[in-house]
Amino acid sequence: GMFLTVLVTLLALTAVSWLVIHVLNGVRDFTSEADKASDPAAVAERIKPVGQVEVAKAGAGAAGGKSGEEVVTAVCSACHASGALNAPKIGDKSAWGPRIAQGYKTLIKHATEGIRMMPARGGNPDLSDEEIARAVAFMANKAGANFTPPKAEAK
C-alpha cells in the first residue's frame, strides 16, 4: 500500500511539474515574441515612412507632359539631390560616369524598373515612360552625358 501511494504521488508531482514547466515556457515564448516585436529594428521597419511615394505624388501633374527637369525636381531630387540611399548625386561626374557608360537605354530600364534602393519609376507610378526617359537624360547630361530625351509635348 505505502509503496504504491509514494509511486502515485511521485507520478502526480512529475505530471504537475511537467505541466507547470510547459505553461511557463509558453508564457516565456509569448513574451519573447513581444520582445521581438518591440525590437528597435522591427519598430523602425513597421513605422518607416513611404516618403518616396508621397514626394512623388506631390509632384504628379498631367501625365506624359512633364519635362525632364520638372520630373527631377518633383520626384528624383528627393534622393538624387542629397545622395540619400546612395543615389548618385545630380552633377557628380565620378558617380554618374560608370552609369552613363552603361548607356541611355540601360539607365531608362533601371529608372523604370527600379534598382538597388530606388523604387520603380522613382516611386511615382504615374510617370510616363517618356517622362522617365526625359528625367534620366536631364540628370545624366548634368554629369557629362549627351543623351537626347524624347520631346515634351507642347502645353
Side-chain angles (χ1 to χ4, degrees):
M2 182 71 167
F3 175 75
L4 195 57
T5 305
V6 170
L7 186 62
V8 169
T9 304
L10 283 174
L11 285 174
L13 282 173
T14 302
V16 168
S17 299
W18 185 85
L19 280 173
V20 167
I21 287 168
H22 283 282
V23 166
L24 291 177
N25 275 340
V27 169
R28 192 172 335 118
D29 286 345
F30 177 79
T31 304
S32 68
E33 283 302 314
D35 289 346
K36 286 179 208 162
S38 64
D39 172 61
V43 171
E45 181 63 25
R46 283 197 308 275
I47 67 170
K48 72 180 178 184
V50 287
Q52 293 153 318
V53 174
E54 294 305 314
V55 167
K57 286 191 176 172
K66 287 193 215 162
S67 71
E69 186 172 10
E70 288 171 319
V71 174
V72 168
T73 300
V75 180
C76 313
S77 64
C79 295
H80 286 283
S82 64
L85 305 176
N86 295 321
K89 287 170 78 167
I90 297 166
D92 182 344
K93 288 182 173 22
S94 65
W96 279 95
R99 290 168 171 90
I100 292 168
Q102 294 177 325
Y104 189 32
K105 284 186 174 161
T106 299
L107 290 179
I108 292 169
K109 181 177 192 283
H110 291 165
T112 304
E113 296 174 2
I115 185 168
R116 288 181 280 281
M117 300 291 281
M118 185 174 74
R121 299 185 178 277
N124 185 344
D126 298 328
L127 290 176
S128 71
D129 290 348
E130 291 77 23
E131 288 171 319
I132 301 270
R134 287 183 207 119
V136 167
F138 179 83
M139 281 194 290
N141 290 350
K142 288 277 186 192
N146 192 19
F147 297 147
T148 304
K151 295 271 180 263
E153 297 128 36
K155 293 196 176 181

